[in-house]
Amino acid sequence: MLTINLKHLYFFSEVARLGNVTAAAHAIHLTQPAITQAVANVERYFGSALLHRTRNGVALTAAGKACQLRVERALGQLHDGIAEFGKPLNVQKRTHLLRSLSTAQVEALLAVVEHRNFSAASRARNQSQPAIHRATRDLERLLEISLFEKTSYGIVPTRAAERFARKARLAFAEISQARAEVIAVNGGEAGRTVVGALPLARTFLLPNALLQFSEEFPKHQIEIVEGTYSHLLESLHSGEVDFFIGAMRHAKPGTGIMETRLFEDPLSIIMRSRHPLSKKRRITVQMLSSFPWVAPRTGSPLRNQYNKLFRSAGVQPPLASIECNSISAARALLLESDRIMLLSAHQVYYDLRAGMLKALPPPAGKISRPIGMTWRSGWEPTRTQAVLLDMLKESARQLHAG
């Protein structure tokens, strides 16, 4: 939960923009002591002096400059979120609404959108249901728009409320980044990164880079989120994930999303070490089609390569009685049967090294798929996160070279 007052962040941004507390007080129509107290609360929240006095007013410290950039981005997300309600508001009206938002109101809406009803939201936030209800209704009155609608499933957030919640989550992520930036400027270490991981990334690429990163930045928290490509893409849009790594799709991921290719991942025919085909000098597609398979999930890039493996030889792909994208489940199926799988050898590296599984080259020659990194357009990593990205790219380069 966010513990800083959003209004105070707005007041701080105005002081930073105008370089003068008195001028900011006049612009916001508040007293100078009120603005001074608000800035003091912001500095207390970030644990650092953000402004220092000059002859002409105030100026940003180094920590203040780092903080201001993130706060402006956060306020920009909330400003854009207000526009998501579709009301014809001029800039002055949007600004008025922005400086009137309370943290409690936005937090309450986020909780209801995430948990889909008031009772679940109140339990998750450890608040009373009346408090959650009151905060969201106050927000409705402020915005002069309905945030909820009645359906056969009960009262649910409107699409406009969900769109605003997405922007609000991105705003809160920027504020979290601001704290990390301020601590880094003052010589400390903090921050948190949420990394989405598709199968290859979570079994080899990520662990290799994260072990190195955690030695250099032991206080920086890393959370790894697993999921399908579509799930991670949605999490990226909503700010729940900072970036994700895995097999790239042929189709572009859509507006607001950026991606870069890291390397081409060669695929192998994977089977248990005592499989009937493991001693063959040469295997054919026809031989492969006579054994049961663990097939990749329909619609995945790996499934496209699986189908291509057989159809390029004029052979119909075997009927896939088991489809699986779980490496742990696939590993058990391969070790306990004569099933075969088309997979990256990197994903079963330790089983291959231990001699439990065997990797054979595809009969028709090399097959590969592109592995890449995907992030939100406009996402600005902190300096520590930039180091993590460099380490991941270097790990990918070493993986490709090996």
Side-chain angles (χ1 to χ4, degrees), residues 256-384:
I257 297 295
M258 306 292 289
E259 60 182 1
T260 186
R261 183 174 300 199
L262 296 175
F263 64 96
E264 285 289 324
D265 181 36
L267 302 174
S268 301
I269 309 297
I270 306 295
M271 61 191 69
R272 65 187 180 94
S273 58
R274 295 186 179 182
H275 193 281
L277 293 179
S278 64
K279 302 299 182 183
K280 298 286 186 182
R281 289 189 174 182
R282 181 176 178 274
I283 58 173
T284 65
V285 174
Q286 287 75 11
M287 289 179 184
L288 295 176
S289 66
S290 64
F291 286 89
W293 279 70
V294 179
R297 290 177 64 249
T298 301
S300 67
L302 196 56
R303 183 56 175 262
N304 295 334
Q305 298 287 14
Y306 168 83
N307 291 334
K308 184 179 178 181
L309 169 69
F310 291 97
R311 288 172 179 162
S312 62
V315 177
Q316 190 66 20
L319 179 64
S321 59
I322 297 180
E323 293 186 6
C324 179
N325 73 332
S326 166
I327 295 301
S328 57
R331 176 179 175 275
L333 290 167
L334 293 173
L335 290 172
E336 298 299 327
S337 72
D338 284 339
R339 289 185 177 273
I340 305 171
M341 192 170 188
L342 181 66
L343 195 64
S344 167
H346 293 124
Q347 292 177 257
V348 287
Y349 171 79
Y350 296 104
D351 290 306
L352 293 173
R353 192 171 71 172
M356 300 171 68
L357 294 176
K358 184 167 184 177
L360 298 177
K366 183 179 178 181
I367 300 176
S368 65
R369 59 178 176 171
I371 303 299
M373 182 185 298
T374 306
W375 66 95
R376 285 187 309 279
S377 177
W379 177 62
E380 190 68 35
T382 64
R383 281 176 285 184
T384 304

Side-chain angles (χ1 to χ4, degrees), residues 127-170:
Q127 291 179 273
S128 68
Q129 188 169 333
I132 295 286
H133 195 272
R134 183 169 55 253
T136 54
R137 294 310 181 193
D138 286 345
L139 184 58
E140 282 187 317
R141 284 190 287 272
L142 172 66
L143 298 172
E144 299 178 340
I145 191 171
S146 295
L147 298 174
F148 307 96
E149 57 188 358
K150 290 184 178 180
T151 70
S152 57
Y153 301 101
I155 297 177
V156 298
T158 63
R159 290 184 178 179
E162 291 181 337
R163 290 195 297 267
F164 176 80
R166 175 178 289 181
K167 292 291 187 180
R169 278 192 291 267
L170 293 175

Side-chain angles (χ1 to χ4, degrees), residues 218-287:
K219 294 183 180 179
H220 189 96
Q221 295 182 336
I222 298 289
E223 180 181 349
I224 300 176
V225 176
E226 299 182 6
T228 63
Y229 183 86
S230 58
H231 169 74
L232 292 178
L233 198 60
E234 177 59 29
S235 298
L236 198 64
H237 276 295
S238 63
E240 297 170 298
V241 165
D242 292 307
F243 63 91
F244 69 83
I245 297 177
M248 301 173 70
R249 271 49 182 171
H250 290 297
K252 294 295 181 182
T255 57
I257 297 295
M258 306 292 289
E259 60 182 1
T260 186
R261 183 174 300 199
L262 296 175
F263 64 96
E264 285 289 324
D265 181 36
L267 302 174
S268 301
I269 309 297
I270 306 295
M271 61 191 69
R272 65 187 180 94
S273 58
R274 295 186 179 182
H275 193 281
L277 293 179
S278 64
K279 302 299 182 183
K280 298 286 186 182
R281 289 189 174 182
R282 181 176 178 274
I283 58 173
T284 65
V285 174
Q286 287 75 11
M287 289 179 184

Side-chain angles (χ1 to χ4, degrees), residues 174-208:
E174 290 289 350
I175 295 169
S176 177
Q177 299 283 64
R179 294 190 78 175
E181 295 276 32
V182 169
I183 292 171
V185 167
N186 290 327
E189 181 189 327
R192 176 174 177 266
T193 303
V194 183
V195 184
L198 290 166
L200 173 67
R202 58 181 177 249
T203 55
F204 195 83
L205 178 57
L206 267 177
N208 188 42

